[in-house]
Amino acid sequence: MTDASSPAARYAASRARQQASRTQLADFREILDFPLDPFQEQACQSLEEGRGVLVAAPTGAGKTVVGEFAVHLALAGGRKAFYTTPIKALSNQKYADLARRYGPDDVGLLTGDTTLNGDAPVVVMTTEVLRNMLYAGSPTLDGLAFVVMDEVHYLADRFRGPVWEEVIIHLPDDVQLVSLSATVSNAEEFGDWLEMVRGDTAVVVSERRPVPLWQHVLVASANPTANPAGPVHARGPHVGGADLLDLYAGHVDPTNPGVNPPINPDLLAAFRAAPRTGASGPGGRGGPGRGGDRGYRGRGGRRVHPDRLGARRTPARFAVVDSLDADALLPAIYFVFSRAGCEGAVAQCLTAGLRLTSPAEEAQIRSVVEERSAAIPPEDLDVLGYWTWAEALARGVAAHHAGMLPVFKETVEQLFSRGLVKVVFATETLALGINMPARSVVLEKLVKWDGTAHVDVTPGEYTQLTGRAGRRGIDVEGHAVVVDHAGLDPVHLAGLASKRLYPLRSSFRPTYNMAVNLVAQVGRDRAREVLETSFAQFQADRGVVGLAKQAQAHAEALEGYAQAMTCDRGDFTQYAGLRRRIAAREKDLSRAASRTRRAEVVAAFERLRPGDVVEVPSGRRAGYVVVLERGEGAGFDGPRPTVLTQDRQVKKLTVADAPGGIRTVATVRIPKTFNPRVPAQRRDLASSLRNALGALDEPGQRPGKAPRARAAAADDAELSRLRAQLREHPCHGCPDREDHARWAERWEKLKKEHDQIVRRVQGRTGSIATLFDRTCDVLRTLGYLRDGSPAEGGTVGELVDAETGEGAAAAAAAGNRLTVTSDGQWLRRLYAENDLLVAECLRRGVWDELDAPALAAAVSTCVYSARRDDGAEPYVPGGPDGRLARALDETVRVWSQVDDLERDHGLDATGELDLGLVAAVHRWAAGRSLDAVLRGSEIAAGDFVRWCKQVIDVLDQLAGAAPTPALRRTAIQAIDKVRRGVVAYSSV
């Protein structure tokens, strides 16, 4: 054994130091202003050795440094590096970071609708852009050495996740892959898959947070009048009547609490002593519409008063912020899980007079706000809520959610990053978004709405949300704060905070676009082999045991549910099926009736004449008005007559103002010289209106009330038949019927989940390739693929001589080969989620006769999905017989046929079309103002911009893929008409 102090050992150590000093990693260290952590060193060394790397580390740990080192290696070697991100906002941010370090000449940006220096050696892009490049064989890929996939855990995303796997599978073998992921519990499994498909891959996992995280609960103070100043971990009440208490007992290390850590006894005592109320919710006032707790609903849906449950009072949101400010725990991100809740929280802080900024900070904020908002047309400021937003920012308070205008969100992010905004009320989307670290993260509740039900926050989600607490290089420690609320269990919270369960699950599935591209590039057989290397198949092969156990548990639960819903009077499963059919029929009839009512109201508006005295029975304009002008051609929603109200105001009356319809009850004379701007003339006409109404009060003069229209359900034969069957069913008279019905609903829901699991188990082996085969069968049925090789060009039947049978062997071989047809060639350029539906509409000429606004509106049906279904029938500009309405009817018909075909082939059906954005997009593309577009709708400005961006994306694909020059020109015109105003100046 060589002595470490021997000359030989000293010489070897000296040589090692010399070699290390000549590495690219040593050069990279010199441009950093901080030392590398061990996990960063390990990952960078693996990269320089020529290996791929997977880095899984907590939020804020510095994973992106490894990606930046890959960029450094590419530039040092005269080759290219692509840095991919899941969302445009992250791409924009990373582009700015890299451009500052390496200069704008060496860095480019590609995000679909933004192209900057795309041929640069370093290009930042969204993952979809890289996927499209790979399928198109783009020359930009020449010389590519490194691809960084930031936030690679996005591959679990149901809708966009498959893109990550496509890129990983199809990248050339000589490209080194740098995968950056949040902490996941199965990083080794994911690394094993990367090793299989990409070759030598180093898996670097770091559980250590660079800034320790403390766990707290904020409870309503039992003595809210006290106001002592105290240190961060003070154990006393603060401003606003809220106490901040540690979650764990004092001897527990919060960075490593272990299993079942003991709870802070002071917290348990505070829970017992906390004031109790039935009126205060998160907003401080409680009650509907004030952001209050919705309350616990007991069995049967009956509301149980919180006092009877012993509910503790939840501190008001402004009191929570005040308490954090007193403990020096700002800036903070305050997760509310509701857009309305975020906006309500800001309003509550303003009402409470909360101000978190100094005069100097306020001046800086107002300067940034004015600069960032300079491009917004003045007429849009009111509809965007600009003034309230700007005032809140000046006080250091803001909201952040997907419904905000992108430029507003970006301004909030900029000001928060600069430390000027002190608290941001955010939805959970911020946890997956851009880099916005804070000193503290607050969770209002541990329950969220997932789109279908209220569900508990998982340990992985808790870790993701609280991961932003603690700014590296600024804070000594971060703080996760949960606000006390009804049902909060500190033991459950400790379990969430101490677990690191965030498994990565593949969402990969073959798409139609993927199928035609793979067949065109490598053929069907090779494509099947490629898809069998997906992470989805890798997990399916490993996970069948767990699936089988889950299916067994479901089967036992189903048996229990079936027993609970058993009725001694008859087959309750049959009875429950009747109830479901009745509910579906009633919903269909309700929508049809809504469409009919709207048409009747529009017709009534069209019959109005100047001088008509009109009764508006309900709505915002309820009362009597006199018509001044008919308002012909005023908009897509039918006439918008100008009217004079009883209180002498001149207004525009719209269909939305009169949901219950209108009635003409009298007529008054309007002088030819009448000028609505002259108060005296308005007063005289209002007097005539009152006189006319007074005359109607004489016996026999006032028209009788219009007969109420019979509900469509009352005359529907199918519904009557179903209801009769329901009443005649023996289970209908059972006294325990509703209890049985609740168990039947649970049985039905679980049965669907169970059937899905059983199908997954049955199709485990080669399941992805099987889905690919079914996808190809659909494409072959529709003519996008055909049997035979490119050289042969014919179908199988054409290859066989009818008389001699010669060629049968060749035909059999050709049957295993597929060729992309001419229609399939332009399907290759359609990357929309509903790619096949769009392709069929193009091929059948469904949209050929539409002008630019109508084409944009039609395309919106293929991308839009409402956040909630209000059951109302969407309005279609041009009326039910217009060109757009006919095109939409045909689009729905095409969707229905595609849907049937997919079901026949055992594929998940294409999502149902949503016409809810048609009117708004048509108005916008026709040049209407933002106020006119959004008035009367529930679409938020930020959502509208985001959907318009997606419409533009599909239109851009049409501009390159549509089979006719005319439609390509219309698509280009539509892009120009949609990309204006708030849509044009929003960067994401």
Side-chain angles (χ1 to χ4, degrees):
M1 183 174 179
T2 305
D3 185 349
S5 60
S6 69
R10 290 198 301 273
Y11 175 75
S14 173
R15 290 282 295 172
R17 285 194 297 272
Q18 288 176 3
Q19 289 176 351
S21 67
R22 289 196 296 268
T23 65
Q24 288 298 332
L25 181 54
D27 294 342
F28 183 64
R29 282 197 196 93
E30 293 179 3
I31 65 175
L32 300 177
D33 53 6
F34 55 86
L36 293 176
D37 286 345
F39 86 91
Q40 295 168 328
E41 288 264 5
Q42 181 186 350
C44 290
Q45 287 171 356
S46 296
L47 267 182
E48 192 163 9
E49 292 167 4
R51 307 173 69 191
V53 295
L54 165 63
V55 182
T59 301
K63 298 184 292 290
T64 57
V65 168
V66 183
E68 291 166 2
F69 180 59
V71 170
H72 174 86
L73 286 175
L75 291 173
R79 300 187 70 188
K80 288 183 179 179
F82 288 170
Y83 197 111
T84 72
T85 73
I87 55 177
K88 295 175 184 178
L90 268 176
S91 291
N92 294 338
Q93 186 180 71
K94 203 66 213 176
Y95 167 75
D97 293 344
L98 293 175
R100 276 194 297 270
R101 174 171 293 174
Y102 298 109
D105 291 341
D106 283 338
V107 183
L109 176 67
L110 295 174
T111 60
D113 58 354
T114 302
T115 301
L116 295 174
N117 198 17
D119 294 325
V122 178
V123 185
V124 183
M125 62 185 67
T126 52
T127 318
E128 281 87 351
V129 171
L130 178 53
R131 185 270 312 271
N132 299 351
M133 279 186 185
L134 289 167
Y135 281 147
S138 171
T140 309
L141 297 166
D142 295 343
L144 181 62
F146 297 91
V147 166
V148 181
M149 304 197 77
D150 204 352
E151 309 281 357
V152 76
H153 52 272
Y154 255 71
L155 68 79
D157 183 81
R158 176 184 169 193
F159 298 107
R160 300 178 57 205
V163 176
W164 271 253
E165 289 189 51
E166 287 182 78
V167 169
I168 292 170
I169 291 171
H170 296 313
L171 272 176
D173 292 339
D174 61 343
V175 174
Q176 281 180 256
L177 186 66
V178 183
S179 304
L180 308 178
S181 171
T183 305
V184 293
S185 55
N186 61 335
E188 288 76 14
E189 179 189 37
F190 186 49
D192 289 346
W193 175 69
L194 287 173
E195 180 101 23
M196 183 185 78
V197 295
R198 302 295 315 165
D200 192 8
T201 300
V203 179
V204 180
V205 178
S206 173
E207 292 279 359
R208 176 185 171 276
R209 284 179 50 90
V211 180
L213 183 65
W214 288 76
Q215 304 286 339
H216 309 280
V217 177
L218 199 100
V219 300
S221 174
N223 180 20
T225 58
N227 182 19
V232 170
H233 301 302
R235 296 295 188 267
H238 295 297
V239 180
D243 299 345
L244 186 72
L245 299 171
D246 289 337
L247 171 63
Y248 303 129
H251 65 277
V252 176
D253 178 0
T255 63
N256 186 23
V259 181
N260 299 322
I263 304 301
N264 178 9
D266 291 342
L267 175 61
L268 298 176
F271 273 19
R272 289 191 294 270
R276 300 169 188 273
T277 177
S280 179
R285 295 185 181 182
R290 297 187 182 274
D293 195 295
R294 295 176 180 270
Y296 172 78
R297 291 184 182 273
R299 292 187 62 184
R302 294 188 299 276
R303 182 176 293 278
V304 180
H305 196 283
D307 285 344
R308 295 181 61 186
L309 295 174
R312 298 179 299 274
R313 178 168 62 83
T314 300
R317 288 161 178 155
F318 63 83
V320 172
V321 176
D322 224 357
S323 179
L324 294 175
D325 191 24
D327 274 337
L329 295 184
L330 297 180
I333 298 173
Y334 197 134
F335 287 108
V336 178
F337 298 140
S338 157
R339 295 181 181 187
C342 292
E343 297 292 346
V346 171
Q348 289 154 19
C349 290
L350 291 178
T351 302
L354 196 67
R355 185 178 295 276
L356 304 171
T357 53
S358 66
E361 289 173 326
E362 180 177 342
Q364 290 184 62
I365 290 169
R366 292 194 184 278
S367 174
V368 171
V369 168
E370 290 174 7
E371 178 187 346
R372 293 299 304 267
S373 306
I376 302 177
E379 63 270 17
D380 289 345
L381 295 179
D382 284 334
V383 70
L384 293 172
Y386 170 83
W387 307 109
T388 302
W389 170 74
E391 178 59 27
L393 282 176
R395 297 192 190 187
V397 180
H400 190 289
H401 56 77
M404 291 174 64
L405 194 69
V407 70
F408 282 12
K409 282 198 299 181
E410 293 163 9
T411 305
V412 169
E413 292 159 6
Q414 178 184 348
L415 293 172
F416 190 82
S417 298
R418 289 174 56 178
L420 296 172
V421 166
K422 312 299 182 182
V423 61
V424 171
F425 294 95
T427 56
E428 65 176 321
T429 53
L430 180 62
L432 298 174
I434 60 108
N435 182 30
M436 273 179 63
R439 180 167 295 166
S440 305
V441 165
V442 181
L443 272 69
E444 181 167 273
K445 290 186 177 182
L446 297 179
V447 175
K448 64 171 188 170
W449 177 255
D450 69 352
T452 58
H454 285 97
V455 297
D456 291 335
V457 170
T458 67
E461 289 168 336
Y462 185 87
T463 301
Q464 186 81 13
L465 292 166
T466 58
R468 293 186 176 277
R471 297 164 296 176
R472 188 170 188 174
I474 302 175
D475 299 316
V476 176
E477 56 194 24
H479 301 269
V481 180
V482 175
V483 180
D484 186 22
H485 57 273
L488 176 62
D489 177 4
V491 176
H492 172 66
L493 172 58
L496 284 178
S498 60
K499 291 178 182 176
R500 293 293 180 266
L501 299 177
Y502 193 72
L504 191 59
R505 294 284 176 254
S506 173
S507 59
F508 184 78
R509 66 193 185 282
T511 65
Y512 297 106
N513 171 272
M514 185 194 307
V516 291
N517 273 296
L518 284 174
V519 170
Q521 290 182 337
V522 299
R524 179 176 186 164
D525 291 342
R526 174 63 182 139
R528 293 178 91 259
E529 294 172 5
V530 168
L531 293 175
E532 285 178 337
T533 66
S534 67
F535 188 42
Q537 188 62 56
F538 187 81
Q539 287 191 310
D541 291 339
R542 285 192 169 193
V544 69
V545 175
L547 283 175
K549 286 184 178 179
Q550 193 175 351
Q552 183 179 357
H554 278 184
E556 292 171 359
L558 282 170
E559 187 177 342
Y561 289 172
Q563 217 167 10
M565 72 173 176
T566 299
C567 181
D568 58 3
R569 301 195 177 195
D571 184 351
F572 202 87
T573 304
Q574 185 184 64
Y575 182 77
L578 281 171
R579 287 173 63 133
R580 286 193 298 273
R581 290 167 63 190
I582 288 172
R585 185 64 179 170
E586 286 174 340
K587 185 175 181 180
D588 291 343
L589 291 172
S590 175
R591 288 183 170 179
S594 174
R595 184 168 58 245
T596 301
R597 281 195 302 272
R598 185 182 181 89
E600 291 171 351
V601 176
V602 170
F605 269 66
E606 291 172 344
R607 290 194 294 269
L608 292 178
R609 298 290 184 272
D612 284 350
V613 176
V614 176
E615 179 188 11
V616 183
S618 62
R620 292 183 298 176
R621 301 277 186 260
Y624 291 92
V625 298
V626 59
V627 178
L628 303 179
E629 296 177 1
R630 297 182 60 190
E632 294 174 304
F636 301 116
D637 290 325
R640 298 179 62 203
T642 304
V643 299
L644 180 73
T645 65
Q646 289 174 281
D647 55 359
R648 295 175 291 187
Q649 290 187 334
V650 177
K651 300 285 186 181
K652 288 283 189 182
L653 188 66
T654 69
V655 171
D657 294 330
I662 57 174
R663 282 197 309 152
T664 301
V665 298
T667 303
V668 297
R669 179 180 167 277
I670 300 178
K672 292 182 179 180
T673 57
F674 178 77
N675 185 344
R677 293 194 179 93
V678 179
Q681 294 188 27
R682 293 203 306 273
R683 184 175 59 249
D684 292 343
L685 186 57
S687 177
S688 299
L689 170 61
R690 286 193 297 274
N691 291 337
L693 294 175
L696 292 176
D697 288 333
E698 298 176 10
Q701 294 301 312
R702 186 180 291 273
K705 290 186 177 180
R708 295 183 63 181
R710 284 170 57 85
D715 299 322
D716 185 68
E718 173 65 11
L719 187 59
S720 298
R721 185 182 66 80
L722 289 172
R723 285 174 172 170
Q725 286 185 12
L726 190 76
R727 289 191 298 269
E728 293 167 3
H729 198 282
C731 293
H732 191 67
C734 178
D736 298 322
R737 181 184 67 198
E738 294 310 308
D739 282 338
H740 294 331
R742 278 191 288 274
W743 287 111
E745 288 174 10
R746 296 176 189 175
W747 184 90
E748 176 69 20
K749 182 177 180 181
L750 187 62
K751 183 67 166 60
K752 289 180 180 177
E753 295 178 12
H754 177 70
D755 289 345
Q756 288 178 344
I757 290 175
V758 169
R759 284 195 296 269
R760 287 170 63 189
V761 171
Q762 291 173 343
R764 177 182 63 88
T765 305
S767 56
I768 299 298
T770 300
L771 285 176
F772 173 71
D773 288 340
R774 294 172 182 173
T775 301
C776 288
D777 289 344
V778 170
L779 291 171
R780 186 165 48 186
T781 301
L782 292 173
Y784 294 95
L785 297 175
R786 68 181 174 201
D787 296 312
S789 67
E792 292 158 342
T795 65
V796 174
E798 292 169 342
L799 298 175
V800 183
D801 188 290
E803 295 184 6
T804 66
E806 291 181 4
N816 292 322
R817 292 192 293 268
L818 288 176
T819 301
V820 179
T821 65
S822 57
D823 289 340
Q825 291 297 337
W826 47 262
L827 174 56
R828 293 182 64 188
R829 299 195 294 274
L830 294 175
Y831 299 98
E833 188 176 329
N834 285 330
D835 47 8
L836 184 59
L837 173 63
V838 173
E840 280 294 280
C841 288
L842 293 181
R843 189 173 68 161
R844 301 186 191 192
V846 172
W847 300 334
D848 285 358
E849 301 302 318
L850 298 178
D851 60 11
L855 178 61
V859 165
S860 76
T861 65
C862 298
V863 301
Y864 178 65
S865 177
R867 297 181 70 233
R868 60 180 63 88
D869 183 7
D870 61 8
E873 186 71 19
Y875 171 70
V876 177
D881 298 321
R883 186 172 293 174
L884 176 56
R886 293 196 302 271
L888 291 176
D889 286 343
E890 187 60 29
T891 302
V892 172
R893 190 173 295 111
V894 171
W895 164 81
S896 179
Q897 293 169 359
V898 170
D899 181 78
D900 290 343
L901 192 59
E902 288 173 325
R903 293 179 189 277
D904 290 343
H905 285 81
L907 293 172
D908 289 338
T910 299
E912 189 169 351
L913 297 186
D914 193 324
L915 276 61
L917 199 66
V918 165
V921 169
H922 193 279
R923 291 189 190 110
W924 182 252
R928 298 288 294 279
S929 69
L930 186 65
D931 179 48
V933 168
L934 299 182
R935 187 194 306 123
S937 77
E938 295 187 0
I939 302 174
D943 286 331
F944 177 70
V945 169
R946 181 164 52 89
W947 290 119
C948 281
K949 291 283 186 179
Q950 293 189 35
V951 168
I952 289 172
D953 189 36
V954 177
L955 287 170
D956 188 52
Q957 294 173 39
L958 264 58
T964 65
L967 188 56
R968 291 197 290 271
R969 286 193 298 271
T970 305
I972 293 170
Q973 294 168 7
I975 292 171
D976 293 338
K977 291 182 179 296
V978 177
R979 188 184 284 147
R980 67 176 183 87
V982 292
V983 177
Y985 62 68
S986 297
S987 63
V988 295

